[in-house]
Amino acid sequence: MKKLKLSKEKLLLSLVLLLSGILNFANLGIEGYSNLYYASGVKSMTMSLKNFFFVSFDPTGFVSIDKPPLGFWIQAISAKIFGFSGWSILLPEALAGVISVLVIYIVVKRSFGTTAGLLSALFLAVTPIFVAVSRNNTCDNLLVLTLLLACWAISIAAEKGKVKYLILSLVIVGVGFNIKMLQAYMVVPAIYLTYLLSTAVSLKKRIIHLICGTLVLLVVSFSWAIVVDLIPAANRPYVGSSTNNSELELIIGHNGLERLGIGTSTTGGASKTQSGNNEKMQGGTPPTGTTANASSSKGMQGGTPPTGTGQGGTPPTGSMGKGGQTQGGNFWGGGGSSMGGSEKSSITRLFSNNGMSDQIIWLLPIAVLGFIAASLKEKLKPAFNTKRKQALILWSMWLIPEFIYFSFTTGLFHPYYLTMLAPPIAALAGIGIVSMWSLYKDSGWKSWILPVSLLVDGLVQLLVLSYFYKTSTITKYLMIAMGVLCFVSSIILIVLKLMKNENTMLKKILIGTALTGLLITPLVWSGTTMFKAVNGTFPSAGLSLLSSSQKGASSMGSSNSSSSSSKLIKFLQSNKTTEKYLLVTSSTNGDATNIILNTNESVMTWGFFGTDKAITLAQFKALVKKGEVRYVMVGGGQGGSSSNDIMTWAKKVGTLVKESEWKDSTTTSKSTTTTNKKSTSTASTSANKSMGGQSSGALYDLKGADTTK
């Protein structure tokens, strides 16, 4: 039996993976069910194979989740193995985060060596948005893992000219498409260009290989969607958030053109800006508010968010900036909008105080300058016949298009999508440090790139930290620690260079010290997730979590998710006879998720936005006549409103149920005591419900209703 030898490399890699595991798994239970919409769908998927295949939101398979299946299939399998719980559905994402750290080490190491690989793995492990998404059930880091595996395969294909590795790479991207649809294709330019510019085989063969690979990519990508669309609508759930009950339309529309700011909104005719700001908000449409400057509010159209009702906790304390934004940390955890596309488009968007900069750009300057240094060192020009040149093309072409997209798009995207930028930034930063160190040891102007890069990165970190200076006392200590470690070390490196000092060990220590200073803040940011639950709908990490008054999982947790609807659920269950649906309500959120997560009952909804045309009035009347539907929640601001023809009819023929029978009186807003009692109460309770609290709608009983009217 061979003895297990723990080399320095294996030891360091183990420590990096251990750090990643701690950040991703420690106290994971505080996240509860995280995103309740997705969690409800996963629970429904565990109830039948039909629900599983079609990613049904509800147990009866009335409407589906508006995302592809693979990520949720993995979560459902985990839930079946370990039992349905918040921990079991978050396990795949947390594990994917750790595995991604290992994969990026392997991919970078094969081209630029062990040190670059270890640094890249470390940088990815501590990236705040990457850690936050690893503790959330949005499936984005499952996608990141698949794309890293695709990069591993294409790096081999480009080096050896073997078409089977190209096909494998594109198959994996196709798999990623079935996790997050077109988001997976953001890495396609990098894969295609890397292979096209390689020289292992002739250009003609490369083009033929890419054509064949493209066909395979499209087949794998669209296979599930085509199968679903070919199945008669009567035999499957309505495709959530689509306009015509088609997965292909969902891919092109809501999950495609809308992300680019093109096409018609699925939210029922809202403008693109409004659509972007409303999507994935608990309850669909934001509450109408009375904020004086509501028109300029970027975080929430319509006014100030209610206190303590949103996933992720209350807004952090601090001075309010333009449009109701909290300087140094907003309601969603950043310092700006929860919808990236609503921020001003510019090259500086990701560096501004907007809830995005503190999640991703800590090491971006080193990544950019490091790429330049590596390109100079490797003489990045034709022919691209080395692993290092091909690696630089791969990582830079992953980074550049995505940076441009996130900087300039006016389409619908959420800041947590920035986890897609984490791997190329980490890889190029690791590669860059090694390349800059090699240049530093030589003479000439290139040797100055390393200390200058460290100083520039430190200045950028100070800029981002300044956004939080007034809202957290921790910020000043981070500034001091980073400044001393990074700036002092960088200055000494400059002095040693001027003095032509040849003490290599001292220089390595100084570089390590400077990097330690640059890693302190992102590590602290990532570490906050171990103590406070991230926002289930808009995951992010940082000091805003610590300044939140949230305790535990709040509305995200299994212990609390039913508290706002407990009396309603008890009422509905006690009066249930033969009904197929315990409740009919517009949106998939609020009462709908609470019922699904805390019972085995089904709810009829019109999809996430409450605007899906999943059933006609005539079909609905038939269900009422058969006794499959009885109680309907009308109004309350959840997605579709009472103007919906079904809701209008239910209000007309149904019997209004007294609120005292189903609504917990303790949730009534104190604002009802004001002079403008009716309007203020409506706005307040609507806000509460729309963020995942109890419905402020009216409950109607359709038992014995005249279906001929």
Side-chain angles (χ1 to χ4, degrees):
M1 184 176 178
K2 293 183 179 180
K3 292 183 178 180
L4 180 63
K5 293 183 179 180
L6 189 62
S7 63
K8 180 181 178 181
E9 176 186 350
K10 291 180 180 178
L11 176 61
L12 292 175
L13 177 60
S14 298
L15 291 175
V16 172
L17 293 175
L18 177 62
L19 173 63
S20 179
I22 292 173
L23 290 173
N24 291 359
F25 282 97
N27 210 12
L28 190 60
I30 64 173
E31 307 297 344
Y33 289 130
S34 199
N35 188 302
L36 302 185
Y37 171 57
Y38 296 141
S40 299
V42 170
K43 182 177 182 183
S44 298
M45 290 165 64
T46 63
M47 296 182 180
S48 73
L49 287 175
K50 179 180 178 181
N51 287 351
F52 179 83
F53 181 78
F54 293 111
V55 284
S56 174
F57 166 75
D58 57 284
T60 58
F62 182 74
V63 67
S64 70
I65 297 175
D66 60 5
K67 292 294 183 288
L70 186 56
F72 300 112
W73 283 351
I74 295 173
Q75 291 180 17
I77 291 171
S78 176
K80 290 294 285 186
I81 295 174
F82 299 106
F84 180 78
S85 66
W87 184 88
S88 66
I89 63 177
L90 294 177
L91 173 62
E93 281 292 315
L95 192 58
V98 178
I99 297 174
S100 294
V101 171
L102 174 62
V103 173
I104 199 172
Y105 159 77
I106 295 172
V107 178
V108 174
K109 176 189 173 182
R110 73 180 309 275
S111 56
F112 276 87
T114 299
T115 302
L118 288 171
L119 287 173
S120 299
L122 176 61
F123 295 158
L124 181 62
V126 301
T127 300
I129 193 62
F130 180 78
V131 173
V133 174
S134 292
R135 302 173 65 91
N136 184 266
N137 56 339
T138 59
C139 298
D140 286 70
N141 275 0
L142 282 171
L143 173 61
V144 166
L145 174 58
T146 62
L147 298 184
L148 282 169
L149 292 172
C151 287
W152 189 357
I154 196 61
S155 65
I156 298 173
E159 177 193 355
K160 300 181 178 180
K162 293 187 176 181
V163 66
K164 64 180 181 180
Y165 286 104
L166 170 66
I167 299 299
L168 176 61
S169 177
L170 294 176
V171 166
I172 296 173
V173 174
V175 170
F177 184 93
N178 284 285
I179 296 176
K180 290 286 288 188
M181 291 187 177
L182 290 174
Q183 188 175 332
Y185 283 3
M186 296 181 81
V187 78
V188 165
I191 291 175
Y192 276 60
L193 195 60
T194 300
Y195 191 76
L196 187 62
L197 295 179
S198 65
T199 58
V201 296
S202 67
L203 177 61
K204 182 179 178 180
K205 285 187 176 181
R206 278 175 268 155
I207 293 174
I208 294 174
H209 292 171
L210 286 171
I211 292 173
C212 295
T214 300
L215 294 176
V216 172
L217 170 64
L218 294 176
V219 169
V220 176
S221 297
F222 290 90
S223 56
W224 177 80
I226 291 174
V227 169
V228 171
D229 282 358
L230 289 175
I231 295 175
N235 298 328
R236 59 172 172 80
Y238 184 92
V239 178
S241 296
S242 70
T243 59
N244 63 355
N245 197 13
S246 165
E247 287 288 348
L248 290 177
E249 191 282 328
L250 178 66
I251 293 169
I252 297 170
H254 175 57
N255 288 329
L257 295 179
E258 281 191 44
R259 311 291 166 165
L260 300 174
I262 307 171
T264 304
S265 169
T266 56
T267 58
S271 69
K272 280 316 307 166
T273 300
Q274 290 171 328
S275 171
N277 281 343
N278 294 348
E279 204 238 3
K280 290 295 178 283
M281 184 174 293
Q282 291 294 332
T285 305
T288 55
T290 56
T291 305
N293 196 19
S295 62
S296 63
S297 175
K298 295 180 180 179
M300 291 180 63
Q301 295 270 345
T304 305
T307 302
T309 57
Q311 290 192 10
T314 59
T317 58
S319 60
M320 298 300 292
K322 180 180 178 182
Q325 296 180 34
T326 304
Q327 297 299 320
N330 78 336
F331 178 56
W332 300 115
S337 175
S338 60
M339 306 294 166
S342 66
E343 296 294 336
K344 184 178 179 180
S345 300
S346 74
I347 195 70
T348 61
R349 177 193 270 180
L350 297 184
F351 295 88
S352 304
N353 182 15
N354 54 20
M356 294 186 284
S357 58
D358 68 313
Q359 299 302 305
I360 191 64
I361 62 96
W362 300 108
L363 296 172
L364 181 57
I366 282 185
V368 173
L369 294 172
F371 166 73
I372 294 173
S375 299
L376 292 171
K377 184 177 183 299
E378 302 301 327
K379 296 180 175 59
L380 188 61
K381 60 182 180 180
F384 301 101
N385 53 1
T386 68
K387 290 189 293 184
R388 293 193 170 191
K389 288 183 178 182
Q390 292 161 2
L392 289 173
I393 294 171
L394 176 64
W395 295 115
S396 63
M397 290 310 299
W398 181 341
L399 174 64
I400 294 171
E402 289 194 11
F403 179 82
I404 293 173
Y405 170 78
F406 287 124
S407 297
F408 293 100
T409 184
T410 57
L412 188 157
F413 83 86
H414 307 306
Y416 66 84
Y417 293 178
L418 292 170
T419 190
M420 289 282 291
L421 277 172
I425 289 176
L428 288 174
I431 290 170
I433 292 296
V434 171
S435 299
M436 289 187 289
W437 164 247
S438 180
L439 293 175
Y440 178 80
K441 292 186 293 183
D442 299 330
S443 58
W445 67 270
K446 297 176 187 177
S447 63
W448 296 99
I449 298 178
L450 176 59
V452 169
S453 297
L454 294 172
L455 289 172
V456 170
D457 204 275
L459 290 173
V460 169
Q461 291 204 13
L462 283 179
L463 173 66
V464 178
L465 282 168
S466 70
Y467 301 149
F468 298 84
Y469 187 80
K470 294 182 179 179
T471 61
S472 176
T473 56
I474 298 176
T475 305
K476 61 184 69 175
Y477 298 114
L478 291 174
M479 285 181 164
I480 294 172
M482 189 280 295
V484 170
L485 294 174
C486 178
F487 293 144
V488 172
S489 298
S490 300
I491 292 172
I492 295 176
L493 282 171
I494 293 174
V495 172
L496 292 177
K497 188 65 180 177
L498 291 172
M499 296 175 59
K500 298 182 179 181
N501 187 294
E502 300 298 330
N503 192 332
T504 301
M505 181 58 66
L506 175 60
K507 294 175 182 178
K508 287 183 177 181
I509 292 174
L510 290 170
I511 294 172
T513 303
L515 286 177
T516 300
L518 293 176
L519 289 177
I520 287 177
T521 301
L523 181 59
V524 169
W525 244 250
S526 298
T528 60
T529 61
M530 296 188 293
F531 305 99
K532 286 293 186 75
V534 303
N535 187 298
T537 306
F538 302 106
S540 64
L543 299 184
S544 56
L545 291 181
L546 299 181
S547 61
S548 167
S549 61
Q550 176 190 2
K551 295 181 179 180
S554 187
S555 63
M556 298 175 288
S558 59
S559 61
N560 298 312
S561 62
S562 65
S563 60
S564 60
S565 301
S566 57
K567 189 172 182 179
L568 172 64
I569 294 173
K570 184 177 181 180
F571 170 82
L572 294 173
Q573 288 184 317
S574 63
N575 287 279
K576 181 182 178 182
T577 53
T578 61
E579 291 82 25
K580 182 178 181 180
Y581 301 96
L582 194 65
L583 180 69
V584 176
T585 182
S586 293
S587 172
T588 55
N589 293 287
D591 295 324
T593 55
N594 287 338
I595 289 172
I596 292 173
L597 288 173
N598 293 282
T599 73
N600 290 321
E601 305 286 356
S602 191
V603 181
M604 179 186 290
T605 73
W606 321 143
F608 185 88
F609 297 106
T611 57
D612 293 349
K613 302 183 185 302
I615 189 173
T616 65
L617 178 57
Q619 292 170 329
F620 186 79
K621 288 181 179 180
L623 294 179
V624 174
K625 188 174 182 179
K626 289 168 61 178
E628 293 186 4
V629 169
R630 179 176 178 181
Y631 290 102
V632 179
M633 187 69 70
V634 176
Q638 280 187 304
S641 66
S642 57
S643 62
N644 180 283
D645 56 352
I646 293 176
M647 294 302 187
T648 301
W649 177 79
K651 187 176 181 180
K652 178 181 178 182
V653 303
T655 301
L656 181 64
V657 181
K658 294 180 180 179
E659 287 191 356
S660 59
E661 295 186 41
W662 61 272
K663 180 179 284 189
D664 187 349
S665 60
T666 61
T667 63
T668 303
S669 173
K670 294 181 181 181
S671 62
T672 55
T673 60
T674 63
T675 303
N676 191 9
K677 180 178 180 180
K678 182 177 179 179
S679 61
T680 306
S681 175
T682 300
S684 177
T685 53
S686 175
N688 181 32
K689 187 275 310 155
S690 73
M691 299 306 299
Q694 180 174 347
S695 173
S696 61
L699 186 66
Y700 285 85
D701 186 353
L702 298 184
K703 185 176 183 180
D706 185 355
T707 57
T708 63
K709 291 185 178 180

